[in-house]
Amino acid sequence: SQQGEEDPQALSIQEGENATMNCSYKTSINNLQWYRQNSGRGLVHLILIRSNEREKHSGRLRVTLDTSKKSSSLLITASRAADTASYFCATDNYGQNFVFGPGTRLSVLP
Amino acid sequence: DTGVSQNPRHKITKRGQNVTFRCDPISEHNRLYWYRQTLGQGPEFLTYFQNEAQLEKSRLLSDRFSAERPKGSFSTLEIQRTEQGDSAMYLCASSLPPTDYYNSPLHFGNGTRLTVT
C-alpha cells in the first residue's frame, strides 16, 4: 500500500499564483522527497528533506516537514504554465525502497 | 551522464505472451529500482537491486514477474503469461548508494508503456 497521501488530488491555479500541496504519511521516515512528473514521462526529483530538517528551499520551491504530524508540504511560488504536472511525495523505509503517494495533479492556467 | 534509458518505450502484446523490458541506469549508480504505475496513481514499488543483488521484492509481485541485473549494470524485467491487469507504465530508476544513512534521490527513465490486449 502507498504510505504517502497527497492532498489535494487536483489543483488548478492561475499563472503567477502560489501552489501548495500536502503529503501525509503513516510510519517513521528517514527522509521525504518530492518529485514532478510530466504526462507520459518519468519522474524528476525536485527536493529532499531529511527527518531532522523542518524546512528547505530550492529556487521557487519551499518544502516543510512536520514529523510530529507526519506531514509535509510543497509550495511552488509564482507558478508558471510549465509547472503543470503531477507532483508526488516519496518516503523511504530507512535505506530500503521508496514509497510514493497517489500524487497531486497541478494545472497552471496562462 | 546520459540519464536512465528504458527500452522499448511502448509494447503491445497479447494476453498470455511473455515480455521483457530493459533498463540501462546511470553508469555510476549501484542501485536500480523497478516501479509500476497505472493511470492516475503513483509509482508502485516492484523490486530493487544493489549492484547485482536483488535486495527486496514487493509482496504484490506475482511469480510471473522476474527481474535480473546480471553484472550490476543493466537490468531486465520479464513478465510471463501476461494478463490484461499487467497493462501499466513500468518505470526504472537508479541512484547512488546511501550516504550518512540517508538515501540518494532516484533518477527515473521515461518508462515502458505495456498494453496487454
Side-chain angles (χ1 to χ4, degrees):
Chain A
S1 62
Q2 294 177 326
Q3 155 145 266
E5 292 284 336
E6 290 91 347
D7 171 58
Q9 290 187 337
L11 179 62
S12 185
I13 59 174
Q14 295 293 132
E15 206 164 23
E17 294 181 337
N18 295 341
T20 300
M21 288 159 270
N22 302 298
C23 169
S24 60
Y25 56 91
K26 297 173 185 173
T27 63
S28 296
I29 61 169
N30 191 26
N31 65 51
L32 185 143
Q33 303 183 37
W34 285 91
Y35 289 79
R36 183 189 73 224
Q37 184 178 35
N38 291 93
S39 181
R41 311 284 287 184
L43 284 74
V44 174
H45 178 259
L46 296 176
I47 196 165
L48 179 153
I49 187 165
R50 297 178 175 183
S51 57
N52 62 354
E53 297 176 315
R54 292 296 168 258
E55 187 171 314
K56 204 161 182 181
H57 297 254
S58 176
R60 295 184 295 112
L61 304 180
R62 172 177 169 255
V63 169
T64 62
L65 179 64
D66 187 335
T67 53
S68 67
K69 295 181 179 178
K70 292 186 170 58
S71 67
S72 173
S73 68
L74 171 66
L75 168 67
I76 304 174
T77 60
S79 63
R80 306 166 182 168
D83 294 329
T84 294
S86 292
Y87 291 82
F88 298 91
C89 67
T91 55
D92 77 335
N93 300 326
Y94 286 90
Q96 305 308 316
N97 73 78
F98 294 81
V99 180
F100 288 82
T104 292
R105 289 176 293 286
L106 174 66
S107 297
V108 181
L109 307 174
Chain B
D1 181 356
T2 57
V4 177
S5 176
Q6 290 189 247
N7 287 289
R9 286 282 284 134
H10 302 275
K11 178 71 177 179
I12 300 174
T13 191
K14 291 185 178 179
R15 189 176 54 188
Q17 297 294 305
N18 299 345
V19 294
T20 300
F21 311 139
R22 176 178 170 125
C23 172
D24 288 90
I26 294 171
S27 57
E28 63 268 27
H29 287 183
N30 74 341
R31 285 199 168 185
L32 187 148
Y33 299 77
W34 284 100
Y35 283 84
R36 176 172 62 192
Q37 186 179 28
T38 54
L39 196 63
Q41 297 298 314
E44 176 185 33
F45 171 75
L46 295 178
T47 188
Y48 93 96
F49 294 83
Q50 180 156 302
N51 300 313
E52 65 274 10
Q54 188 173 18
L55 295 188
E56 189 173 349
K57 193 173 174 181
S58 169
R59 288 170 293 175
L60 301 174
L61 204 63
S62 81
D63 56 8
R64 296 184 297 106
F65 287 71
S66 63
E68 293 183 341
R69 195 181 183 198
K71 296 182 180 178
S73 57
F74 73 93
S75 175
T76 57
L77 177 68
E78 181 183 19
I79 309 174
Q80 296 182 327
R81 305 181 303 280
T82 53
E83 302 172 356
Q84 286 187 321
D86 298 330
S87 295
M89 175 79 88
Y90 289 83
L91 294 165
C92 174
S94 68
S95 76
L96 291 167
T99 57
D100 297 329
Y101 196 59
Y102 291 102
N103 267 328
S104 300
L106 298 178
H107 296 254
F108 280 85
N110 284 324
T112 294
R113 182 167 295 286
L114 173 66
T115 302
V116 181
T117 61

